[in-house]
Amino acid sequence: MATNKDAFRDYLQLEKKYSSHTVTAYCNDIASFELFNTIHFDQEGIEQVNYSQIRTWVVSLVDNDISNTSVNRKIASLKAFYKFLLKTKQIKASPLLKHKALKTPKIVQIPFSEKEVEDALGHLQNPVGFEEIRNKLIVDLFYTTGMRRTELIHLKVVNVNLSSATIKVLGKRNKERILPVLPIIINQFFLYLKERSFMLSIVDDDYFFLTKKGLKLNDSFVYRLINSYFSAVSEKVKKSPHILRHTFATHLLNNGADLNSVKELLGHSSLASTQIYTHNSLAELKKVYGDAHPRNQK
């Protein structure tokens, strides 16, 4: 089993190009099921399990108040493992062939309105000093590019090309894409780089965005930054970098952008991922349609 798990890890990292975080999560899920299988069925290895064993594990997870979403994620890890075993011809059929995912509630991500974004940026007008200038650029960059939080955190200095007004980001599965930078925020890049050059100590010099101590940003830092600025202007429950990415997509669609273009900007591998953003643009479209159609004016 150890050999299979090691080979599976290499497969996820090298062939599928999953992030280290995703690879670790997959392997932890598999190890968790392996331990359960050993304790409850006294069976070493999980290559030759049957579906009833997996079903017993699912029931135990639900009984221990693990959410359906988390259970589905764990099963997805198992599915990937058995798919790998099929690919390497170590099994003839996956025990999860007929498995149906547990039902999960549909979560509607509510974007910020254009006014809320304007108000948040209003609090950042005329920034002074390294931190304020950096913060304004981060908010503007999220809203004008739709980049992911991890893409912003790992943005390298070498991948910012102000002469061509583009930045190169590394997305999921190590896929690179080029994002345009709007002329309206180019000057902010220069202001930030000027302040950055005055820093006395820089530890993570390769990374574009830094803390005042010269360190690369982290997930919680960026989340708190976005949450703090939007808490002042919005009463929405979720105020995160992901909601700002969602806002970027929704506002583009509301203003006439086509779905394929938004897909490319977001770095989605399929249109199905991008279509979750269309419910808000459809609402806007209905409003425009209702206001403009002659039959509705009578």
Side-chain angles (χ1 to χ4, degrees):
M1 178 62 183
T3 301
N4 279 336
K5 285 198 296 186
D6 292 341
F8 179 61
R9 178 183 286 273
D10 290 341
Y11 165 74
L12 294 178
Q13 289 176 327
L14 303 176
E15 189 169 331
K16 301 298 287 183
K17 298 188 182 301
Y18 287 168
S19 70
S20 58
H21 176 79
T22 301
V23 172
T24 299
Y26 272 48
C27 292
N28 286 345
D29 291 337
I30 291 164
S32 174
F33 176 60
E34 183 183 22
L35 178 61
F36 178 88
N37 203 52
T38 301
I39 294 171
H40 292 270
F41 298 102
D42 194 25
Q43 179 181 359
E44 290 187 8
I46 59 171
E47 288 88 345
Q48 302 302 326
V49 302
N50 56 55
Y51 180 64
S52 66
Q53 291 170 268
I54 297 174
R55 184 65 185 171
T56 302
W57 183 50
V58 170
V59 171
S60 75
L61 291 171
V62 173
D63 287 344
N64 282 285
D65 295 326
I66 305 299
S67 71
N68 285 6
T69 300
S70 295
V71 172
N72 286 342
R73 192 209 72 220
K74 292 176 184 295
I75 293 299
S77 300
L78 277 190
K79 277 188 175 181
F81 180 67
Y82 288 119
K83 185 176 180 180
F84 167 74
L85 294 181
L86 276 170
K87 187 173 184 176
T88 54
K89 298 182 179 179
Q90 297 183 65
I91 60 174
K92 293 182 179 180
S94 169
L96 283 159
L97 196 60
K98 296 182 179 179
H99 176 77
K100 293 183 179 179
L102 302 183
K103 290 183 179 180
T104 55
K106 289 185 178 180
I107 300 174
V108 177
Q109 302 282 7
I110 303 175
F112 299 117
S113 66
E114 291 186 29
K115 184 179 185 306
E116 285 172 329
V117 175
E118 289 175 6
D119 289 346
L121 289 170
H123 287 290
L124 287 160
Q125 286 301 315
N126 304 313
V128 177
F130 171 78
E131 290 186 278
E132 286 188 8
I133 290 171
R134 176 202 61 201
N135 294 355
K136 185 176 192 306
L137 179 55
I138 286 175
V139 175
D140 250 329
L141 204 53
F142 273 134
Y143 180 57
T144 59
T145 68
M147 65 197 309
R148 298 179 178 94
R149 173 168 40 176
T150 186
E151 291 170 347
L152 180 133
I153 289 171
H154 292 97
L155 181 65
K156 300 287 185 69
V157 174
V158 70
N159 289 331
V160 175
N161 189 333
L162 296 180
S163 62
S164 66
T166 59
I167 57 175
K168 182 192 294 182
V169 298
L170 190 64
K172 289 185 176 180
R173 303 185 189 181
N174 293 323
K175 289 181 179 178
E176 291 183 342
R177 72 184 187 283
I178 306 295
L179 296 174
V181 175
L182 292 181
I184 195 171
I185 66 169
I186 285 290
N187 189 51
Q188 291 182 50
F189 276 88
F190 286 112
L191 286 174
Y192 170 74
L193 287 170
K194 181 180 178 181
E195 291 293 329
R196 191 181 185 278
S197 69
F198 294 150
M199 296 181 71
L200 299 177
S201 175
I202 295 180
V203 179
D204 296 317
D205 192 47
D206 289 344
Y207 293 93
F208 188 79
F209 286 110
L210 302 171
T211 68
K212 63 182 179 181
K213 294 182 179 180
L215 299 171
K216 181 182 74 168
L217 305 184
N218 57 56
D219 284 349
S220 59
F221 179 95
V222 177
Y223 174 83
R224 291 195 305 272
L225 187 153
I226 297 302
N227 186 270
S228 65
Y229 285 111
F230 280 88
S231 289
V233 300
S234 175
E235 294 184 358
K236 290 181 172 66
V237 175
K238 293 193 70 175
K239 296 175 277 287
S240 67
H242 181 71
I243 295 300
L244 205 44
R245 172 174 162 87
H246 182 61
T247 301
F248 160 82
T250 302
H251 289 184
L252 280 182
L253 290 167
N254 283 350
N255 285 281
D258 69 275
L259 202 59
N260 268 309
S261 297
V262 176
K263 167 186 169 291
E264 294 301 317
L265 289 167
L266 292 173
H268 285 161
S269 57
S270 70
L271 271 178
S273 299
T274 315
Q275 284 171 336
I276 64 170
Y277 299 104
T278 60
H279 72 278
N280 290 293
S281 60
L282 181 60
E284 181 70 16
L285 188 61
K286 284 181 177 178
K287 182 179 182 300
V288 171
Y289 172 69
D291 290 344
H293 199 283
R295 292 282 290 170
N296 204 42
Q297 309 304 314
K298 296 178 181 179

